[in-house]
Amino acid sequence: MLSLIQVSPASTGGARLRGIRHKVRPMPDPAPRHSDRPRWRRSGALALAALVCVGALLGWRLGPARPPVVAVEIMAAGPVTRVLAVNGKIALRERLAIRAAVGEVVLSVAVAAGDVVTAGAVLARLDDRQQAAALRQAEAALAQAVILQAQAAAEFGRDRDLGAQVSRMRLDDARRSLAGAAQEVAGRAALRDQARIALDHYALRAPVAGTVLTRAVDPGQRVDTATTLFTLADLARLRVETDVDETYALQIAPGQRVRLLLLGSAETRMGTVEVVAPRVDPDTGGLAVKIGFDALVRAPVGLTVTANVVIDSRSALTVPRTALTGGAVFVLRAGRAVATPVRVIDWPADRLIVTAGLAPGDRVISDSTGLHDGQILREEGE
């Protein structure tokens, strides 16, 4: 509180204080000049200002959002080969089953499985002693007949030379005897040949050159005429046997070229479709196909072979299978994806042959995943 100070009017030299001296209290400090707003409002304002600064900085660093990047293929016609890849097995062109012509005991076996033999080589011999005796008997009978023929010929010659001294009847008899002796010799010769042929049946021979695949006989074993004793094949004359799914049955035809790759080999061999079965197997749904090699090949029977059958060769546009979606592809035009319907030859391959819908120079987006018509895009490298 302020003290009252009175000034006397009679004083001319100045005012004179009257009354009692009082204590003077100091005045309080004036109010602070900062705002009286609550503390949380000041913090919020600072946070908002910081956020604005960060946003401005990011906008300055990143700039506006850019369109997605896509890979593009420029369409151009080129040579295209449509290939059907199948797996097959090495197979024999011929497999000969060798059986005995007579039932007898086996005396000896000359070959084992895996041996290579020439045409006419003896594979095994049967007990031929009885037949050998029959041949000797036939040869003796033939020799006797030859002697009788010679005697008849000599007698006829003498009678003929005597001329008129010999009756015509005697000469005719001599002529008939000679003819009969000749027939006897021919008959005995036929029996001798028959015995000789029969004796040859006791030696089992290879009808052609080849390799012994199987042997099912041992010495001392009695064999019959129904059992296969040896299996023989020419391993140099091989081919590939495979099955083609019936989906592609109409695409396969004899004469088509084939690239063949034997398992375990890096060398590609060429071949040709030789045989296409006339019917589809109802159990497997496969069509049997046989492929021949252009050159001789030596390989184990049953080895797996990858066969690439060339179904079609042409010049055409192609697109990746990943570019196709719902019968259309996306063409990049003026920075936008344009859905373009196309027709393709659907084939089990990564690339498809385009038959309609595209033209050379079109910029086809390689992968259509997640794209939509009219979408703004950016090509790789831009």
Side-chain angles (χ1 to χ4, degrees):
M1 179 179 293
L2 295 177
S3 301
L4 297 178
I5 299 176
Q6 296 181 355
V7 179
S8 171
S11 61
T12 58
R16 188 177 54 181
L17 296 178
R18 297 175 57 188
I20 302 173
R21 181 182 296 176
H22 297 276
K23 269 185 185 179
V24 179
R25 295 185 179 177
M27 295 291 291
D29 293 335
R33 295 182 180 180
H34 57 70
S35 173
D36 293 333
R37 288 179 295 178
R39 183 183 300 273
W40 64 268
R41 289 188 179 179
R42 295 198 304 272
S43 300
L46 292 175
L48 180 59
L51 186 60
V52 170
C53 292
V54 171
L57 179 61
L58 289 177
W60 176 76
R61 293 289 300 276
L62 299 179
R66 306 188 69 186
V69 176
V70 291
V72 171
E73 288 191 13
I74 301 176
M75 292 293 98
V80 179
T81 300
R82 190 154 53 101
V83 174
L84 178 62
V86 293
N87 286 332
K89 299 288 185 181
I90 293 289
L92 299 169
R93 288 184 174 274
E94 296 177 346
R95 183 192 299 264
L96 299 178
I98 300 175
R99 302 179 180 87
V102 294
E104 192 51 83
V105 175
V106 178
L107 290 181
S108 63
V109 178
V111 296
D115 288 352
V116 178
V117 297
T118 59
V122 175
L123 306 179
R125 291 189 180 276
L126 307 182
D127 187 353
D128 60 356
R129 289 173 294 180
Q130 184 175 356
Q131 186 58 39
L135 174 60
R136 291 192 298 269
Q137 185 178 1
E139 289 174 340
L142 174 61
Q144 182 64 29
V146 169
I147 294 173
L148 294 177
Q149 182 187 27
Q151 292 176 351
E155 185 176 349
F156 174 74
R158 285 194 306 269
D159 291 345
R160 182 189 56 194
D161 293 342
L162 290 175
Q165 298 179 10
V166 177
S167 65
R168 186 176 182 83
M169 183 178 294
R170 179 177 172 180
L171 184 61
D172 289 342
D173 288 343
R175 183 181 291 109
R176 284 192 293 269
S177 295
L178 178 58
Q183 290 179 353
E184 182 66 18
V185 169
R188 293 297 179 180
L191 291 175
R192 187 273 317 271
D193 292 343
Q194 184 177 2
R196 185 175 292 169
I197 292 172
L199 181 62
D200 194 53
H201 288 163
Y202 288 78
L204 275 67
R205 300 179 184 274
V208 296
T211 301
V212 179
L213 299 181
T214 61
R215 164 187 154 176
V217 62
D218 292 308
Q221 179 180 347
R222 175 172 286 276
V223 297
D224 54 35
T225 59
T227 304
T228 297
L229 306 181
F230 300 95
T231 302
L232 189 66
D234 184 359
L235 296 184
R237 300 183 67 247
L238 302 173
R239 63 184 174 191
V240 177
E241 294 183 354
T242 184
D243 284 335
V244 174
D245 190 272
E246 61 182 331
T247 305
Y248 311 106
L250 298 180
Q251 307 289 332
I252 297 291
Q256 290 172 335
R257 301 293 288 158
V258 187
R259 292 192 291 268
L260 301 163
L261 185 63
L262 279 63
L263 184 65
S265 172
E267 179 184 356
T268 298
R269 296 171 170 84
M270 297 304 298
T272 305
V273 175
E274 294 181 339
V275 179
V276 178
R279 65 188 293 270
V280 173
D281 189 322
D283 296 327
T284 64
L287 185 69
V289 175
K290 297 179 181 179
I291 303 166
F293 288 95
D294 287 357
L296 293 180
V297 174
R298 292 195 175 275
V301 176
L303 182 68
T304 299
V305 179
T306 299
N308 292 313
V309 184
V310 180
I311 302 299
D312 182 23
S313 294
R314 65 172 76 182
S315 179
L317 302 177
T318 65
V319 295
R321 182 176 289 274
T322 53
L324 195 67
T325 176
V329 298
F330 287 102
V331 177
L332 189 63
R333 294 195 179 104
R336 292 183 180 273
V338 179
T340 305
V342 294
R343 287 202 301 270
V344 299
I345 298 176
D346 195 2
W347 194 252
D350 292 335
R351 299 191 69 86
L352 305 176
I353 297 175
V354 179
T355 59
L358 293 177
D362 285 343
R363 309 175 77 83
V364 175
I365 299 174
S366 302
D367 190 347
S368 62
T369 305
L371 301 183
H372 59 81
D373 191 28
Q375 183 176 359
I376 298 176
L377 301 170
R378 184 163 49 94
E379 185 178 343
E380 276 185 347
E382 290 185 352

PDB file of all heavy atoms in Angstrom, residues 76-96:
ATOM      1  N   ALA A  76       8.894 -58.661 -83.813  1.00  0.00           N
ATOM      2  CA  ALA A  76       9.542 -58.797 -85.116  1.00  0.00           C
ATOM      3  C   ALA A  76       9.439 -60.256 -85.535  1.00  0.00           C
ATOM      4  O   ALA A  76       9.676 -61.160 -84.723  1.00  0.00           O
ATOM      5  CB  ALA A  76      11.000 -58.356 -85.039  1.00  0.00           C
ATOM      6  N   ALA A  77       9.070 -60.511 -86.775  1.00  0.00           N
ATOM      7  CA  ALA A  77       8.938 -61.884 -87.277  1.00  0.00           C
ATOM      8  C   ALA A  77      10.317 -62.521 -87.382  1.00  0.00           C
ATOM      9  O   ALA A  77      11.299 -61.875 -87.731  1.00  0.00           O
ATOM     10  CB  ALA A  77       8.248 -61.890 -88.630  1.00  0.00           C
ATOM     11  N   GLY A  78      10.377 -63.801 -87.075  1.00  0.00           N
ATOM     12  CA  GLY A  78      11.625 -64.549 -87.149  1.00  0.00           C
ATOM     13  C   GLY A  78      11.347 -66.026 -87.300  1.00  0.00           C
ATOM     14  O   GLY A  78      10.204 -66.481 -87.167  1.00  0.00           O
ATOM     15  N   PRO A  79      12.382 -66.820 -87.588  1.00  0.00           N
ATOM     16  CA  PRO A  79      12.185 -68.263 -87.743  1.00  0.00           C
ATOM     17  C   PRO A  79      11.761 -68.901 -86.427  1.00  0.00           C
ATOM     18  O   PRO A  79      12.353 -68.648 -85.376  1.00  0.00           O
ATOM     19  CB  PRO A  79      13.560 -68.765 -88.194  1.00  0.00           C
ATOM     20  CG  PRO A  79      14.523 -67.718 -87.730  1.00  0.00           C
ATOM     21  CD  PRO A  79      13.782 -66.424 -87.779  1.00  0.00           C
ATOM     22  N   VAL A  80      10.730 -69.703 -86.493  1.00  0.00           N
ATOM     23  CA  VAL A  80      10.179 -70.349 -85.299  1.00  0.00           C
ATOM     24  C   VAL A  80      10.052 -71.849 -85.575  1.00  0.00           C
ATOM     25  O   VAL A  80       9.567 -72.255 -86.637  1.00  0.00           O
ATOM     26  CB  VAL A  80       8.791 -69.783 -84.936  1.00  0.00           C
ATOM     27  CG1 VAL A  80       8.230 -70.495 -83.716  1.00  0.00           C
ATOM     28  CG2 VAL A  80       8.891 -68.297 -84.677  1.00  0.00           C
ATOM     29  N   THR A  81      10.497 -72.651 -84.648  1.00  0.00           N
ATOM     30  CA  THR A  81      10.356 -74.103 -84.746  1.00  0.00           C
ATOM     31  C   THR A  81       9.499 -74.583 -83.597  1.00  0.00           C
ATOM     32  O   THR A  81       9.821 -74.336 -82.434  1.00  0.00           O
ATOM     33  CB  THR A  81      11.728 -74.794 -84.708  1.00  0.00           C
ATOM     34  OG1 THR A  81      12.518 -74.331 -85.809  1.00  0.00           O
ATOM     35  CG2 THR A  81      11.584 -76.300 -84.811  1.00  0.00           C
ATOM     36  N   ARG A  82       8.433 -75.255 -83.946  1.00  0.00           N
ATOM     37  CA  ARG A  82       7.549 -75.807 -82.909  1.00  0.00           C
ATOM     38  C   ARG A  82       7.970 -77.253 -82.662  1.00  0.00           C
ATOM     39  O   ARG A  82       7.976 -78.074 -83.585  1.00  0.00           O
ATOM     40  CB  ARG A  82       6.104 -75.716 -83.358  1.00  0.00           C
ATOM     41  CG  ARG A  82       5.084 -76.030 -82.273  1.00  0.00           C
ATOM     42  CD  ARG A  82       3.759 -75.332 -82.553  1.00  0.00           C
ATOM     43  NE  ARG A  82       3.246 -75.602 -83.865  1.00  0.00           N
ATOM     44  CZ  ARG A  82       2.280 -76.475 -84.137  1.00  0.00           C
ATOM     45  NH1 ARG A  82       1.731 -77.160 -83.164  1.00  0.00           N
ATOM     46  NH2 ARG A  82       1.847 -76.642 -85.366  1.00  0.00           N
ATOM     47  N   VAL A  83       8.347 -77.552 -81.430  1.00  0.00           N
ATOM     48  CA  VAL A  83       8.932 -78.848 -81.084  1.00  0.00           C
ATOM     49  C   VAL A  83       8.100 -79.516 -79.998  1.00  0.00           C
ATOM     50  O   VAL A  83       7.666 -78.857 -79.045  1.00  0.00           O
ATOM     51  CB  VAL A  83      10.395 -78.672 -80.604  1.00  0.00           C
ATOM     52  CG1 VAL A  83      10.956 -79.987 -80.112  1.00  0.00           C
ATOM     53  CG2 VAL A  83      11.254 -78.128 -81.735  1.00  0.00           C
ATOM     54  N   LEU A  84       7.886 -80.818 -80.166  1.00  0.00           N
ATOM     55  CA  LEU A  84       7.228 -81.621 -79.136  1.00  0.00           C
ATOM     56  C   LEU A  84       8.283 -82.493 -78.472  1.00  0.00           C
ATOM     57  O   LEU A  84       8.906 -83.336 -79.127  1.00  0.00           O
ATOM     58  CB  LEU A  84       6.134 -82.498 -79.745  1.00  0.00           C
ATOM     59  CG  LEU A  84       5.392 -83.421 -78.767  1.00  0.00           C
ATOM     60  CD1 LEU A  84       4.661 -82.588 -77.722  1.00  0.00           C
ATOM     61  CD2 LEU A  84       4.429 -84.329 -79.494  1.00  0.00           C
ATOM     62  N   ALA A  85       8.508 -82.262 -77.186  1.00  0.00           N
ATOM     63  CA  ALA A  85       9.530 -83.005 -76.447  1.00  0.00           C
ATOM     64  C   ALA A  85       8.892 -84.174 -75.704  1.00  0.00           C
ATOM     65  O   ALA A  85       7.948 -83.988 -74.937  1.00  0.00           O
ATOM     66  CB  ALA A  85      10.250 -82.083 -75.467  1.00  0.00           C
ATOM     67  N   VAL A  86       9.423 -85.369 -75.960  1.00  0.00           N
ATOM     68  CA  VAL A  86       8.940 -86.579 -75.285  1.00  0.00           C
ATOM     69  C   VAL A  86      10.148 -87.411 -74.873  1.00  0.00           C
ATOM     70  O   VAL A  86      11.243 -87.252 -75.416  1.00  0.00           O
ATOM     71  CB  VAL A  86       8.009 -87.414 -76.193  1.00  0.00           C
ATOM     72  CG1 VAL A  86       6.715 -86.676 -76.475  1.00  0.00           C
ATOM     73  CG2 VAL A  86       8.708 -87.773 -77.508  1.00  0.00           C
ATOM     74  N   ASN A  87       9.941 -88.287 -73.922  1.00  0.00           N
ATOM     75  CA  ASN A  87      10.971 -89.223 -73.496  1.00  0.00           C
ATOM     76  C   ASN A  87      10.665 -90.605 -74.044  1.00  0.00           C
ATOM     77  O   ASN A  87       9.515 -91.044 -74.042  1.00  0.00           O
ATOM     78  CB  ASN A  87      11.069 -89.292 -71.973  1.00  0.00           C
ATOM     79  CG  ASN A  87      11.732 -88.060 -71.384  1.00  0.00           C
ATOM     80  OD1 ASN A  87      12.552 -87.423 -72.045  1.00  0.00           O
ATOM     81  ND2 ASN A  87      11.393 -87.719 -70.165  1.00  0.00           N
ATOM     82  N   GLY A  88      11.705 -91.267 -74.536  1.00  0.00           N
ATOM     83  CA  GLY A  88      11.542 -92.616 -75.071  1.00  0.00           C
ATOM     84  C   GLY A  88      12.641 -93.527 -74.569  1.00  0.00           C
ATOM     85  O   GLY A  88      13.449 -93.147 -73.711  1.00  0.00           O
ATOM     86  N   LYS A  89      12.693 -94.730 -75.123  1.00  0.00           N
ATOM     87  CA  LYS A  89      13.690 -95.727 -74.730  1.00  0.00           C
ATOM     88  C   LYS A  89      14.332 -96.324 -75.980  1.00  0.00           C
ATOM     89  O   LYS A  89      13.691 -96.488 -77.019  1.00  0.00           O
ATOM     90  CB  LYS A  89      13.038 -96.863 -73.922  1.00  0.00           C
ATOM     91  CG  LYS A  89      12.389 -96.423 -72.619  1.00  0.00           C
ATOM     92  CD  LYS A  89      13.402 -96.043 -71.562  1.00  0.00           C
ATOM     93  CE  LYS A  89      12.730 -95.735 -70.229  1.00  0.00           C
ATOM     94  NZ  LYS A  89      13.716 -95.344 -69.192  1.00  0.00           N
ATOM     95  N   ILE A  90      15.621 -96.647 -75.859  1.00  0.00           N
ATOM     96  CA  ILE A  90      16.303 -97.368 -76.925  1.00  0.00           C
ATOM     97  C   ILE A  90      15.679 -98.762 -77.034  1.00  0.00           C
ATOM     98  O   ILE A  90      15.498 -99.462 -76.037  1.00  0.00           O
ATOM     99  CB  ILE A  90      17.804 -97.493 -76.627  1.00  0.00           C
ATOM    100  CG1 ILE A  90      18.477 -96.123 -76.682  1.00  0.00           C
ATOM    101  CG2 ILE A  90      18.461 -98.458 -77.596  1.00  0.00           C
ATOM    102  CD1 ILE A  90      18.597 -95.552 -78.070  1.00  0.00           C
ATOM    103  N   ALA A  91      15.335 -99.155 -78.261  1.00  0.00           N
ATOM    104  CA  ALA A  91      14.702-100.452 -78.494  1.00  0.00           C
ATOM    105  C   ALA A  91      15.336-101.118 -79.706  1.00  0.00           C
ATOM    106  O   ALA A  91      15.963-100.467 -80.546  1.00  0.00           O
ATOM    107  CB  ALA A  91      13.196-100.283 -78.712  1.00  0.00           C
ATOM    108  N   LEU A  92      15.157-102.419 -79.784  1.00  0.00           N
ATOM    109  CA  LEU A  92      15.682-103.197 -80.898  1.00  0.00           C
ATOM    110  C   LEU A  92      14.716-103.154 -82.075  1.00  0.00           C
ATOM    111  O   LEU A  92      13.505-103.152 -81.898  1.00  0.00           O
ATOM    112  CB  LEU A  92      15.880-104.653 -80.471  1.00  0.00           C
ATOM    113  CG  LEU A  92      16.863-104.896 -79.324  1.00  0.00           C
ATOM    114  CD1 LEU A  92      16.756-106.329 -78.848  1.00  0.00           C
ATOM    115  CD2 LEU A  92      18.277-104.583 -79.772  1.00  0.00           C
ATOM    116  N   ARG A  93      15.285-103.121 -83.266  1.00  0.00           N
ATOM    117  CA  ARG A  93      14.432-103.244 -84.440  1.00  0.00           C
ATOM    118  C   ARG A  93      13.927-104.687 -84.565  1.00  0.00           C
ATOM    119  O   ARG A  93      12.777-104.914 -84.936  1.00  0.00           O
ATOM    120  CB  ARG A  93      15.199-102.855 -85.697  1.00  0.00           C
ATOM    121  CG  ARG A  93      15.460-101.366 -85.806  1.00  0.00           C
ATOM    122  CD  ARG A  93      16.148-101.049 -87.117  1.00  0.00           C
ATOM    123  NE  ARG A  93      16.279 -99.610 -87.280  1.00  0.00           N
ATOM    124  CZ  ARG A  93      15.345 -98.834 -87.793  1.00  0.00           C
ATOM    125  NH1 ARG A  93      14.201 -99.358 -88.197  1.00  0.00           N
ATOM    126  NH2 ARG A  93      15.537 -97.537 -87.908  1.00  0.00           N
ATOM    127  N   GLU A  94      14.813-105.633 -84.293  1.00  0.00           N
ATOM    128  CA  GLU A  94      14.455-107.043 -84.368  1.00  0.00           C
ATOM    129  C   GLU A  94      15.047-107.776 -83.182  1.00  0.00           C
ATOM    130  O   GLU A  94      16.155-107.490 -82.749  1.00  0.00           O
ATOM    131  CB  GLU A  94      14.971-107.678 -85.666  1.00  0.00           C
ATOM    132  CG  GLU A  94      14.352-107.091 -86.934  1.00  0.00           C
ATOM    133  CD  GLU A  94      14.958-107.703 -88.177  1.00  0.00           C
ATOM    134  OE1 GLU A  94      16.012-108.360 -88.066  1.00  0.00           O
ATOM    135  OE2 GLU A  94      14.381-107.527 -89.265  1.00  0.00           O
ATOM    136  N   ARG A  95      14.303-108.732 -82.705  1.00  0.00           N
ATOM    137  CA  ARG A  95      14.765-109.595 -81.616  1.00  0.00           C
ATOM    138  C   ARG A  95      14.435-111.028 -82.034  1.00  0.00           C
ATOM    139  O   ARG A  95      13.264-111.388 -82.170  1.00  0.00           O
ATOM    140  CB  ARG A  95      14.061-109.239 -80.322  1.00  0.00           C
ATOM    141  CG  ARG A  95      14.538-110.032 -79.102  1.00  0.00           C
ATOM    142  CD  ARG A  95      13.580-109.815 -77.948  1.00  0.00           C
ATOM    143  NE  ARG A  95      13.510-108.422 -77.557  1.00  0.00           N
ATOM    144  CZ  ARG A  95      14.216-107.894 -76.562  1.00  0.00           C
ATOM    145  NH1 ARG A  95      15.011-108.650 -75.841  1.00  0.00           N
ATOM    146  NH2 ARG A  95      14.085-106.614 -76.268  1.00  0.00           N
ATOM    147  N   LEU A  96      15.475-111.837 -82.252  1.00  0.00           N
ATOM    148  CA  LEU A  96      15.275-113.191 -82.749  1.00  0.00           C
ATOM    149  C   LEU A  96      15.299-114.178 -81.589  1.00  0.00           C
ATOM    150  O   LEU A  96      16.261-114.198 -80.798  1.00  0.00           O
ATOM    151  CB  LEU A  96      16.357-113.561 -83.761  1.00  0.00           C
ATOM    152  CG  LEU A  96      16.413-112.684 -85.021  1.00  0.00           C
ATOM    153  CD1 LEU A  96      17.573-113.125 -85.909  1.00  0.00           C
ATOM    154  CD2 LEU A  96      15.106-112.779 -85.778  1.00  0.00           C
TER     155      LEU A  96
END
